[in-house]
Coordinates of all heavy atoms in Angstrom, one line a residue:
M76 N 4.2 -11.5 -11.3 CA 4.3 -10.0 -11.6 C 5.5 -9.6 -12.2 O 6.6 -9.9 -11.9 CB 4.2 -9.5 -10.2 CG 4.1 -7.9 -10.2 SD 3.2 -7.3 -8.7 CE 4.3 -7.9 -7.4
G77 N 5.4 -9.0 -13.3 CA 6.5 -8.5 -14.1 C 7.1 -7.2 -13.6 O 6.4 -6.2 -13.5
H78 N 8.2 -7.2 -13.3 CA 8.9 -6.0 -12.8 C 9.7 -5.1 -13.8 O 10.3 -4.1 -13.5 CB 9.9 -6.3 -11.7 CG 9.2 -6.9 -10.5 ND1 9.8 -7.7 -9.6 CD2 8.0 -6.8 -10.1 CE1 8.9 -8.1 -8.8 NE2 7.8 -7.6 -8.9
G79 N 9.7 -5.5 -15.1 CA 10.3 -4.9 -16.0 C 11.8 -4.7 -15.8 O 12.5 -5.7 -15.6
L80 N 12.2 -3.4 -15.9 CA 13.6 -3.2 -15.7 C 14.1 -2.9 -14.3 O 15.1 -2.7 -14.0 CB 14.0 -1.9 -16.6 CG 13.8 -2.0 -18.2 CD1 13.9 -0.7 -18.8 CD2 14.7 -3.1 -18.8
I81 N 13.2 -3.0 -13.5 CA 13.5 -2.7 -12.0 C 13.9 -4.0 -11.4 O 13.3 -5.0 -11.4 CB 12.2 -2.2 -11.3 CG1 11.9 -0.8 -12.0 CG2 12.6 -1.9 -9.8 CD1 10.5 -0.3 -11.5
S82 N 15.1 -3.9 -10.7 CA 15.7 -5.1 -10.1 C 15.1 -5.4 -8.8 O 14.6 -4.4 -8.1 CB 17.2 -4.8 -9.9 OG 17.4 -4.0 -8.8
D83 N 15.1 -6.6 -8.3 CA 14.5 -7.0 -7.1 C 15.2 -6.3 -5.9 O 14.7 -6.0 -4.9 CB 14.5 -8.5 -6.9 CG 13.6 -9.3 -7.7 OD1 12.7 -8.6 -8.3 OD2 13.7 -10.4 -7.9
D84 N 16.5 -6.0 -6.1 CA 17.2 -5.3 -5.1 C 16.5 -3.9 -4.7 O 16.4 -3.5 -3.6 CB 18.7 -5.0 -5.7 CG 19.5 -6.2 -5.4 OD1 19.1 -7.2 -4.8 OD2 20.9 -6.0 -5.7
I85 N 16.3 -3.2 -5.8 CA 15.7 -1.9 -5.6 C 14.4 -2.1 -4.9 O 13.9 -1.3 -4.0 CB 15.6 -1.1 -6.9 CG1 17.0 -0.9 -7.5 CG2 14.7 0.1 -6.8 CD1 17.0 -0.1 -8.7
I86 N 13.5 -3.0 -5.4 CA 12.2 -3.2 -4.8 C 12.5 -3.5 -3.2 O 11.6 -3.0 -2.5 CB 11.5 -4.3 -5.5 CG1 11.2 -3.8 -7.0 CG2 10.2 -4.6 -4.8 CD1 10.8 -5.0 -7.9
D87 N 13.3 -4.3 -3.0 CA 13.5 -4.7 -1.6 C 14.0 -3.6 -0.7 O 13.6 -3.4 0.4 CB 14.6 -5.8 -1.4 CG 14.0 -7.2 -1.8 OD1 12.8 -7.4 -1.8 OD2 14.7 -8.1 -1.9
Q88 N 14.9 -2.8 -1.4 CA 15.4 -1.5 -0.6 C 14.2 -0.6 -0.3 O 14.0 -0.2 0.8 CB 16.2 -0.7 -1.6 CG 17.8 -1.0 -1.4 CD 18.5 -0.2 -2.3 OE1 18.2 1.0 -2.6 NE2 19.7 -0.7 -2.8
I89 N 13.4 -0.4 -1.2 CA 12.2 0.6 -1.1 C 11.2 -0.1 0.0 O 10.8 0.6 0.9 CB 11.5 0.8 -2.3 CG1 12.4 1.7 -3.2 CG2 10.2 1.7 -2.1 CD1 11.9 1.9 -4.6
R90 N 11.0 -1.4 -0.2 CA 10.1 -2.2 0.7 C 10.5 -2.0 2.1 O 9.8 -1.9 3.1 CB 10.0 -3.6 0.3 CG 8.6 -4.2 0.7 CD 8.8 -5.6 0.8 NE 9.2 -6.4 -0.5 CZ 8.5 -6.7 -1.3 NH1 7.2 -6.7 -1.3 NH2 9.1 -7.3 -2.5
G91 N 12.0 -2.1 2.4 CA 12.5 -2.1 3.6 C 12.4 -0.6 4.2 O 12.5 -0.5 5.5
R92 N 12.3 0.3 3.5 CA 12.3 1.7 3.9 C 11.0 2.3 4.3 O 10.8 3.3 5.0 CB 12.8 2.6 2.8 CG 13.9 3.5 3.3 CD 14.8 4.2 2.3 NE 14.1 4.5 1.1 CZ 14.6 4.6 -0.1 NH1 15.8 4.5 -0.3 NH2 13.8 5.0 -1.1
I93 N 9.9 1.7 3.6 CA 8.6 2.3 3.8 C 7.7 1.5 4.6 O 8.0 0.2 4.8 CB 7.9 2.6 2.4 CG1 7.8 1.2 1.7 CG2 8.7 3.6 1.6 CD1 7.1 1.4 0.4
D94 N 6.6 2.1 5.2 CA 5.7 1.3 5.9 C 4.4 1.3 5.3 O 3.9 2.5 5.0 CB 5.7 1.8 7.5 CG 5.0 1.0 8.3 OD1 3.9 0.4 7.9 OD2 5.3 1.0 9.5
I95 N 3.8 0.2 5.1 CA 2.5 0.3 4.4 C 1.4 1.1 5.2 O 0.6 1.7 4.5 CB 2.0 -1.2 4.1 CG1 0.8 -1.2 3.2 CG2 1.6 -1.9 5.4 CD1 0.4 -2.5 2.7
T96 N 1.5 1.1 6.4 CA 0.5 1.8 7.2 C 0.7 3.4 6.9 O -0.3 4.1 6.9 CB 0.6 1.5 8.8 OG1 1.9 1.9 9.2 CG2 0.3 0.1 9.0
D97 N 2.0 3.9 6.7 CA 2.2 5.3 6.5 C 1.6 5.6 5.0 O 0.8 6.6 4.9 CB 3.7 5.5 6.3 CG 4.3 5.6 7.7 OD1 3.6 5.8 8.7 OD2 5.6 5.6 7.8
I98 N 1.9 4.7 4.1 CA 1.5 5.0 2.8 C -0.2 4.9 2.7 O -0.8 5.9 2.2 CB 2.1 4.0 1.7 CG1 3.5 3.9 1.9 CG2 1.5 4.3 0.4 CD1 4.1 5.1 1.2
V99 N -0.7 4.0 3.2 CA -2.1 3.8 3.1 C -2.8 4.8 3.9 O -3.8 5.4 3.6 CB -2.5 2.4 3.6 CG1 -4.1 2.3 3.7 CG2 -2.1 1.3 2.8
G100 N -2.2 5.3 5.1 CA -2.7 6.2 5.9 C -2.8 7.6 5.3 O -3.5 8.5 5.9
H101 N -2.1 7.7 4.3 CA -2.2 9.1 3.6 C -3.4 9.1 2.7 O -3.9 10.3 2.4 CB -0.9 9.2 2.5 CG 0.3 9.7 3.2 ND1 0.3 10.9 4.0 CD2 1.5 9.2 3.2 CE1 1.6 11.0 4.4 NE2 2.3 10.0 4.0
H102 N -4.0 8.0 2.5 CA -5.1 7.9 1.5 C -6.4 7.5 2.3 O -7.5 7.7 1.9 CB -4.9 7.0 0.4 CG -3.7 7.4 -0.4 ND1 -3.7 8.3 -1.4 CD2 -2.4 6.9 -0.3 CE1 -2.5 8.4 -1.9 NE2 -1.7 7.6 -1.2
V103 N -6.3 6.7 3.4 CA -7.4 6.1 4.0 C -7.3 6.5 5.5 O -6.1 6.3 6.0 CB -7.3 4.6 3.8 CG1 -8.6 3.9 4.5 CG2 -7.4 4.2 2.4
S104 N -8.4 6.8 6.2 CA -8.4 7.1 7.4 C -8.4 5.7 8.3 O -9.4 5.0 8.2 CB -9.5 7.9 7.9 OG -9.7 8.1 9.3
L105 N -7.4 5.4 9.0 CA -7.2 4.1 9.6 C -7.4 4.1 11.1 O -6.9 5.1 11.7 CB -5.9 3.5 9.4 CG -5.6 3.2 7.7 CD1 -4.0 2.8 7.7 CD2 -6.4 2.0 7.3
T106 N -8.1 3.1 11.7 CA -8.1 3.1 13.1 C -7.6 1.7 13.5 O -7.7 0.7 12.7 CB -9.6 3.2 13.5 OG1 -10.4 2.3 12.9 CG2 -10.1 4.6 13.4
K107 N -7.1 1.7 14.8 CA -6.5 0.5 15.2 C -7.6 -0.6 15.5 O -8.6 -0.3 16.1 CB -5.6 0.8 16.5 CG -4.4 -0.1 16.6 CD -3.4 0.5 17.5 CE -2.3 -0.4 17.8 NZ -1.9 -1.4 16.8
A108 N -7.3 -1.9 15.1 CA -8.3 -3.0 15.4 C -7.3 -4.2 15.8 O -7.0 -5.0 14.9 CB -9.0 -3.3 14.2
G109 N -7.0 -4.4 17.1 CA -6.2 -5.4 17.4 C -4.8 -5.2 16.8 O -4.1 -4.2 17.0
Q110 N -4.2 -6.3 16.1 CA -2.9 -6.1 15.6 C -2.9 -5.3 14.3 O -1.9 -5.0 13.7 CB -2.5 -7.6 15.2 CG -2.4 -8.6 16.3 CD -1.1 -8.3 17.2 OE1 0.1 -7.9 16.6 NE2 -1.2 -8.2 18.5
N111 N -4.1 -5.1 13.7 CA -4.3 -4.6 12.5 C -4.7 -3.2 12.5 O -5.1 -2.6 13.6 CB -5.1 -5.4 11.5 CG -4.5 -6.8 11.3 OD1 -3.3 -7.0 11.3 ND2 -5.4 -7.8 11.2
L112 N -4.9 -2.5 11.3 CA -5.6 -1.2 11.2 C -6.8 -1.4 10.2 O -6.7 -2.2 9.3 CB -4.6 -0.2 10.7 CG -3.4 0.1 11.6 CD1 -2.3 0.6 10.8 CD2 -3.8 1.0 12.7
K113 N -7.9 -0.6 10.5 CA -9.0 -0.9 9.7 C -9.6 0.6 9.1 O -9.3 1.5 9.7 CB -10.2 -1.4 10.5 CG -10.4 -2.9 10.3 CD -11.6 -3.3 11.1 CE -12.2 -4.6 10.5 NZ -13.4 -4.9 11.1
G114 N -10.1 0.4 8.0 CA -10.6 1.7 7.4 C -11.6 1.5 6.4 O -11.9 0.3 6.0
L115 N -12.2 2.4 5.8 CA -13.1 2.3 4.7 C -12.3 2.0 3.4 O -11.3 2.8 3.0 CB -14.0 3.7 4.5 CG -15.0 3.8 5.6 CD1 -15.7 5.2 5.4 CD2 -16.1 2.8 5.7
C116 N -12.7 1.1 2.7 CA -12.0 0.6 1.4 C -12.0 1.6 0.4 O -13.2 2.3 0.1 CB -12.6 -0.6 1.0 SG -11.8 -1.2 -0.5
P117 N -10.9 2.1 -0.2 CA -10.9 3.0 -1.2 C -11.3 2.4 -2.5 O -11.4 3.1 -3.6 CB -9.5 3.5 -1.3 CG -8.6 2.3 -0.7 CD -9.6 1.6 0.2
F118 N -11.4 1.1 -2.6 CA -11.7 0.5 -3.8 C -13.1 0.0 -4.1 O -13.5 -0.4 -5.2 CB -10.8 -0.8 -4.0 CG -9.3 -0.5 -3.9 CD1 -8.6 -1.0 -2.9 CD2 -8.6 0.3 -4.7 CE1 -7.2 -0.8 -2.7 CE2 -7.4 0.5 -4.6 CZ -6.7 0.1 -3.6
H119 N -13.9 0.3 -3.2 CA -15.3 0.1 -3.3 C -16.1 0.9 -2.3 O -15.5 1.3 -1.3 CB -15.8 -1.5 -3.3 CG -16.0 -2.1 -1.9 ND1 -14.9 -2.4 -1.1 CD2 -17.1 -2.2 -1.1 CE1 -15.4 -2.8 0.1 NE2 -16.8 -2.8 0.1
Q120 N -17.4 1.1 -2.6 CA -18.3 1.9 -1.7 C -18.7 1.0 -0.5 O -19.2 0.0 -0.6 CB -19.5 2.3 -2.4 CG -19.2 3.5 -3.4 CD -19.0 4.8 -2.8 OE1 -19.5 5.2 -1.8 NE2 -18.1 5.7 -3.4
E121 N -18.5 1.6 0.8 CA -18.9 0.9 1.9 C -19.0 1.9 3.1 O -18.5 2.9 3.2 CB -17.9 -0.2 2.3 CG -16.6 0.3 2.6 CD -15.6 -0.9 3.2 OE1 -16.1 -2.0 3.1 OE2 -14.5 -0.6 3.6
K122 N -19.9 1.5 4.1 CA -20.2 2.3 5.1 C -19.6 1.7 6.4 O -19.3 2.4 7.4 CB -21.7 2.4 5.4 CG -22.5 3.2 4.2 CD -23.8 3.4 4.8 CE -24.7 4.2 3.7 NZ -25.2 3.4 2.7
T123 N -19.3 0.4 6.4 CA -18.6 -0.2 7.5 C -17.2 -0.7 7.1 O -17.1 -1.4 6.0 CB -19.4 -1.5 8.0 OG1 -20.8 -1.2 8.1 CG2 -18.9 -2.0 9.3
P124 N -16.2 -0.3 7.9 CA -14.9 -0.6 7.4 C -14.6 -2.1 7.3 O -14.8 -2.9 8.3 CB -13.9 0.0 8.5 CG -14.8 1.1 9.2 CD -16.3 0.5 9.1
S125 N -14.2 -2.6 6.1 CA -13.8 -3.9 6.0 C -12.4 -4.0 5.3 O -11.9 -5.1 4.9 CB -14.8 -4.7 5.2 OG -15.2 -4.1 3.9
F126 N -11.7 -2.9 5.2 CA -10.5 -2.8 4.7 C -9.5 -2.7 5.8 O -9.4 -2.0 6.7 CB -10.4 -1.5 3.9 CG -9.0 -1.2 3.3 CD1 -8.8 -1.8 2.0 CD2 -8.1 -0.4 3.8 CE1 -7.5 -1.4 1.4 CE2 -6.9 -0.1 3.2 CZ -6.6 -0.7 2.1
T127 N -8.5 -3.8 5.7 CA -7.6 -4.1 6.8 C -6.2 -4.0 6.4 O -5.9 -4.4 5.3 CB -7.9 -5.6 7.4 OG1 -9.3 -5.6 7.7 CG2 -7.1 -5.8 8.6
V128 N -5.3 -3.5 7.1 CA -3.9 -3.3 6.9 C -3.2 -4.1 8.1 O -3.5 -3.8 9.2 CB -3.4 -1.8 6.8 CG1 -2.0 -1.8 6.5 CG2 -4.3 -1.1 5.8
S129 N -2.3 -4.9 7.6 CA -1.5 -5.7 8.6 C -0.1 -5.2 8.6 O 0.8 -5.2 7.7 CB -1.4 -7.1 8.3 OG -0.5 -7.8 9.0
P130 N 0.4 -4.3 9.6 CA 1.6 -3.8 9.8 C 2.7 -5.0 9.8 O 3.8 -4.7 9.3 CB 1.6 -2.9 11.0 CG 0.2 -2.8 11.4 CD -0.5 -4.0 10.9
S131 N 2.4 -6.1 10.5 CA 3.4 -7.0 10.7 C 3.7 -7.7 9.4 O 4.9 -8.1 9.1 CB 2.9 -8.1 11.8 OG 1.7 -8.6 11.4
R132 N 2.7 -7.9 8.5 CA 2.9 -8.6 7.3 C 3.1 -7.6 6.1 O 3.3 -8.0 5.0 CB 1.7 -9.6 7.0 CG 1.7 -10.6 8.0 CD 0.4 -11.4 7.8 NE 0.4 -12.2 6.7 CZ -0.7 -12.7 6.2 NH1 -1.9 -12.6 6.7 NH2 -0.8 -13.3 5.0
Q133 N 2.8 -6.3 6.4 CA 2.9 -5.3 5.4 C 2.1 -5.6 4.2 O 2.5 -5.5 3.0 CB 4.4 -5.2 4.9 CG 5.3 -4.6 6.0 CD 5.0 -3.1 6.2 OE1 5.2 -2.2 5.3 NE2 4.7 -2.8 7.5
I134 N 0.8 -6.0 4.5 CA -0.1 -6.2 3.4 C -1.5 -5.5 3.7 O -1.7 -5.2 4.9 CB -0.3 -7.7 3.1 CG1 -0.8 -8.4 4.4 CG2 0.9 -8.3 2.5 CD1 -1.4 -9.7 4.2
F135 N -2.4 -5.4 2.8 CA -3.7 -5.0 3.0 C -4.7 -6.0 2.4 O -4.2 -6.8 1.6 CB -3.9 -3.6 2.4 CG -4.1 -3.6 0.9 CD1 -5.2 -3.7 0.2 CD2 -2.9 -3.5 0.1 CE1 -5.5 -3.8 -1.1 CE2 -3.0 -3.6 -1.2 CZ -4.3 -3.7 -1.9
H136 N -5.9 -6.0 3.0 CA -6.9 -7.0 2.4 C -8.2 -6.2 2.7 O -8.4 -5.8 3.7 CB -6.8 -8.3 3.1 CG -7.9 -9.2 2.5 ND1 -7.7 -9.7 1.3 CD2 -9.0 -9.6 3.0 CE1 -8.8 -10.6 1.0 NE2 -9.6 -10.5 2.0
C137 N -9.1 -6.3 1.7 CA -10.5 -5.9 1.9 C -11.4 -7.2 1.9 O -11.4 -7.8 1.0 CB -10.8 -4.9 0.8 SG -12.6 -4.4 0.9
F138 N -12.2 -7.3 3.0 CA -13.2 -8.4 3.1 C -14.5 -8.1 2.3 O -15.2 -9.0 2.0 CB -13.4 -8.7 4.6 CG -12.2 -9.2 5.2 CD1 -11.5 -8.3 6.0 CD2 -11.9 -10.4 5.2 CE1 -10.3 -8.7 6.7 CE2 -10.8 -11.0 5.9 CZ -10.0 -10.1 6.7
G139 N -14.6 -6.8 1.8 CA -15.7 -6.5 1.1 C -15.6 -6.8 -0.4 O -16.6 -7.4 -0.9
C140 N -14.5 -6.4 -1.0 CA -14.4 -6.5 -2.4 C -13.2 -7.4 -2.8 O -13.1 -7.7 -4.0 CB -14.2 -5.2 -3.1 SG -12.6 -4.4 -2.8
G141 N -12.5 -7.9 -1.8 CA -11.4 -8.9 -2.1 C -10.1 -8.3 -2.6 O -9.2 -9.1 -2.9
A142 N -10.0 -7.0 -2.5 CA -8.8 -6.4 -2.9 C -7.7 -6.7 -1.9 O -8.0 -6.8 -0.7 CB -9.0 -4.8 -3.1
G143 N -6.5 -6.9 -2.4 CA -5.4 -7.1 -1.4 C -4.1 -7.1 -2.1 O -4.0 -7.2 -3.3
G144 N -3.1 -7.1 -1.2 CA -1.8 -7.1 -1.8 C -0.8 -6.4 -0.9 O -1.1 -6.1 0.3
N145 N 0.4 -6.0 -1.4 CA 1.3 -5.2 -0.7 C 1.3 -3.8 -0.9 O 0.3 -3.3 -1.7 CB 2.7 -5.7 -0.9 CG 3.1 -5.6 -2.3 OD1 2.6 -4.8 -3.1 ND2 4.1 -6.5 -2.8
V146 N 2.2 -2.9 -0.5 CA 2.1 -1.5 -0.7 C 2.1 -1.1 -2.1 O 1.4 -0.1 -2.5 CB 3.2 -0.8 0.2 CG1 4.6 -1.2 -0.3 CG2 3.0 0.7 0.2
F147 N 2.8 -1.9 -2.9 CA 3.0 -1.5 -4.3 C 1.7 -1.7 -5.0 O 1.1 -1.0 -5.9 CB 4.1 -2.3 -5.0 CG 5.4 -2.2 -4.2 CD1 6.1 -3.3 -3.9 CD2 6.0 -0.9 -4.1 CE1 7.4 -3.2 -3.2 CE2 7.2 -0.8 -3.5 CZ 7.7 -1.8 -3.0
T148 N 1.0 -2.9 -4.7 CA -0.4 -3.2 -5.2 C -1.4 -2.1 -4.9 O -2.1 -1.7 -5.7 CB -0.8 -4.6 -4.6 OG1 0.2 -5.5 -4.5 CG2 -2.0 -5.2 -5.5
F149 N -1.2 -1.6 -3.6 CA -2.2 -0.6 -3.2 C -2.0 0.6 -4.0 O -3.0 1.2 -4.6 CB -1.9 -0.2 -1.7 CG -2.8 0.8 -1.2 CD1 -4.0 0.6 -0.7 CD2 -2.2 2.2 -1.0 CE1 -4.8 1.7 -0.3 CE2 -3.0 3.2 -0.6 CZ -4.3 3.0 -0.2
L150 N -0.8 1.1 -4.2 CA -0.5 2.4 -4.9 C -0.9 2.2 -6.5 O -1.4 3.1 -7.0 CB 0.9 2.8 -4.7 CG 1.1 3.3 -3.4 CD1 2.6 3.6 -3.2 CD2 0.4 4.6 -3.1
T151 N -0.6 1.1 -7.0 CA -0.9 0.9 -8.5 C -2.5 1.0 -8.6 O -2.9 1.6 -9.6 CB -0.4 -0.4 -9.1 OG1 -0.6 -1.4 -8.3 CG2 1.2 -0.3 -9.2
R152 N -3.0 0.3 -7.7 CA -4.6 0.3 -7.9 C -5.3 1.6 -7.5 O -6.2 2.0 -8.2 CB -5.2 -0.9 -6.9 CG -5.0 -2.2 -7.3 CD -5.9 -3.2 -6.8 NE -7.3 -2.8 -6.9 CZ -8.3 -3.8 -6.9 NH1 -8.0 -4.9 -6.5 NH2 -9.6 -3.3 -7.0
L153 N -4.7 2.3 -6.5 CA -5.3 3.5 -6.1 C -5.0 4.7 -7.1 O -6.0 5.5 -7.5 CB -4.8 4.0 -4.8 CG -5.5 5.1 -4.1 CD1 -6.8 4.6 -3.5 CD2 -4.7 5.8 -3.1
T154 N -3.7 4.6 -7.5 CA -3.4 5.9 -8.5 C -3.6 5.6 -9.9 O -3.5 6.5 -10.7 CB -2.0 6.4 -8.2 OG1 -1.1 5.2 -8.5 CG2 -1.8 6.7 -6.6
G155 N -3.6 4.3 -10.3 CA -3.7 3.9 -11.7 C -2.3 4.0 -12.3 O -2.2 3.8 -13.6
A156 N -1.2 4.3 -11.5 CA 0.1 4.3 -12.1 C 0.7 2.9 -12.3 O 0.1 1.9 -11.7 CB 1.0 5.0 -11.0
S157 N 1.6 2.8 -13.2 CA 2.2 1.5 -13.4 C 3.1 1.2 -12.3 O 3.5 2.0 -11.5 CB 2.9 1.5 -14.7 OG 4.1 2.3 -14.7
F158 N 3.5 -0.2 -12.2 CA 4.3 -0.6 -11.2 C 5.7 0.1 -11.1 O 6.1 0.7 -10.2 CB 4.6 -2.1 -11.3 CG 5.3 -2.7 -10.2 CD1 4.9 -3.0 -8.9 CD2 6.8 -3.0 -10.4 CE1 5.5 -3.5 -7.9 CE2 7.5 -3.6 -9.4 CZ 6.9 -3.8 -8.2
P159 N 6.4 0.3 -12.4 CA 7.6 1.1 -12.4 C 7.4 2.5 -12.0 O 8.3 3.1 -11.2 CB 8.1 1.0 -13.8 CG 7.4 -0.3 -14.4 CD 6.1 -0.3 -13.7
E160 N 6.3 3.1 -12.2 CA 6.1 4.4 -11.7 C 5.9 4.6 -10.4 O 6.6 5.5 -9.8 CB 4.7 5.0 -12.4 CG 4.9 5.4 -13.9 CD 3.7 5.6 -14.6 OE1 2.5 5.3 -14.1 OE2 3.6 6.1 -15.8
V161 N 5.3 3.6 -9.7 CA 5.1 3.6 -8.3 C 6.5 3.4 -7.6 O 6.8 4.2 -6.6 CB 4.2 2.5 -7.9 CG1 4.3 2.2 -6.4 CG2 2.7 2.9 -8.2
I162 N 7.3 2.6 -8.2 CA 8.7 2.3 -7.6 C 9.5 3.6 -7.7 O 10.1 4.0 -6.8 CB 9.4 1.2 -8.3 CG1 8.6 -0.1 -8.1 CG2 10.9 1.2 -7.9 CD1 8.7 -0.7 -6.8
R163 N 9.5 4.3 -8.8 CA 10.3 5.4 -9.0 C 9.8 6.5 -8.1 O 10.6 7.2 -7.4 CB 10.0 5.9 -10.4 CG 11.2 6.9 -11.0 CD 11.0 7.1 -12.3 NE 9.7 7.5 -12.8 CZ 9.1 7.2 -13.9 NH1 9.7 6.4 -14.8 NH2 7.9 7.6 -14.2
D164 N 8.5 6.6 -7.8 CA 7.9 7.7 -7.1 C 8.3 7.4 -5.6 O 8.7 8.4 -4.9 CB 6.4 7.7 -7.2 CG 5.7 8.9 -7.0 OD1 6.3 9.9 -7.4 OD2 4.7 9.0 -6.5
L165 N 8.2 6.2 -5.2 CA 8.6 5.9 -3.7 C 10.0 6.1 -3.5 O 10.5 6.5 -2.5 CB 8.2 4.4 -3.6 CG 6.7 4.1 -3.3 CD1 6.5 2.7 -3.2 CD2 6.0 5.0 -2.1
G166 N 10.8 5.7 -4.5 CA 12.3 5.9 -4.5 C 12.7 7.3 -4.4 O 13.5 7.7 -3.6
Q167 N 12.0 8.2 -5.1 CA 12.4 9.6 -5.0 C 11.9 10.2 -3.6 O 12.6 11.1 -3.2 CB 11.5 10.3 -6.2 CG 12.4 10.2 -7.5 CD 11.5 10.7 -8.7 OE1 10.4 11.1 -8.5 NE2 12.0 10.7 -9.9
K168 N 10.8 9.8 -3.2 CA 10.3 10.4 -2.0 C 11.1 9.9 -0.8 O 11.1 10.5 0.3 CB 8.9 9.9 -1.7 CG 7.9 10.9 -2.6 CD 6.5 10.3 -2.5 CE 5.6 11.1 -3.5 NZ 4.6 10.2 -4.1
G169 N 11.7 8.8 -1.0 CA 12.6 8.2 0.1 C 11.8 7.8 1.4 O 12.4 7.6 2.4
G170 N 10.5 7.6 1.2 CA 9.7 7.2 2.2 C 9.5 8.2 3.4 O 8.9 7.9 4.4
N171 N 9.9 9.5 3.0 CA 9.6 10.4 4.2 C 8.8 11.6 3.8 O 8.9 12.8 4.2 CB 11.1 11.1 4.4 CG 11.9 10.1 5.2 OD1 11.4 9.3 6.0 ND2 13.1 10.1 4.9
R172 N 7.7 11.3 2.9 CA 6.9 12.3 2.4 C 6.0 12.7 3.5 O 5.4 11.9 4.5 CB 6.0 11.6 1.4 CG 5.0 12.6 0.8 CD 4.4 12.0 -0.5 NE 3.4 10.9 -0.2 CZ 2.2 11.0 -0.5 NH1 1.7 12.2 -0.9 NH2 1.4 10.0 -0.2
S173 N 5.7 14.0 3.6 CA 4.9 14.6 4.7 C 3.6 15.0 4.0 O 3.7 15.5 2.8 CB 5.6 15.8 5.3 OG 6.0 16.7 4.4
A174 N 2.5 14.7 4.6 CA 1.2 15.0 3.9 C 1.1 16.4 3.6 O 0.5 16.8 2.6 CB 0.1 14.5 4.8
Ligands
ZN332 ZN1 -13.0 -3.1 -0.8

């Protein structure tokens, strides 16, 4: 994955400040399923939730369409923004965005 001009330090800082369940929870209605959270996948049409978020691993995975990754992957795929745009956006929000 090419990060362009953004240093790994900044990415790590942001990653440490945000929680994937917060970010995904703004876009997807999540319910608890054991260790994970489940919801309807935003990347394909489905009636039964197969979209899973793991708070402990800070990743998401969809068993329906195979989408998966970390919080940055989620936002780039969902919003169509580039990786640097997502990083900048998250940096500005400071991870304390209220819906
Ligand atoms: Zn899916």
Side-chain angles (χ1 to χ4, degrees):
M76 185 155 54
H78 296 153
L80 297 170
I81 299 164
S82 74
D83 287 345
D84 275 2
I85 295 186
I86 293 165
D87 281 349
Q88 263 179 40
I89 293 172
R90 208 204 305 266
R92 226 169 38 203
I93 59 176
D94 189 328
I95 190 170
T96 58
D97 281 349
I98 304 289
V99 173
H101 281 302
H102 303 279
V103 181
S104 177
L105 296 169
T106 53
K107 216 159 167 30
Q110 298 286 318
N111 298 325
L112 296 156
K113 261 188 151 183
L115 291 173
C116 179
F118 302 119
H119 82 281
Q120 288 284 326
E121 64 176 4
K122 293 196 176 84
T123 313
S125 49
F126 180 83
T127 305
V128 179
S129 165
S131 57
R132 296 172 66 198
Q133 291 290 299
I134 56 162
F135 72 94
H136 181 75
C137 174
F138 295 96
C140 67
N145 59 24
V146 66
F147 305 122
T148 320
F149 177 81
L150 285 173
T151 51
R152 284 199 61 158
L153 191 79
T154 64
S157 68
F158 185 77
E160 281 168 350
V161 165
I162 294 289
R163 199 172 51 214
D164 211 33
L165 287 172
Q167 279 168 0
K168 280 172 189 143
N171 288 322
R172 183 162 73 109
S173 54

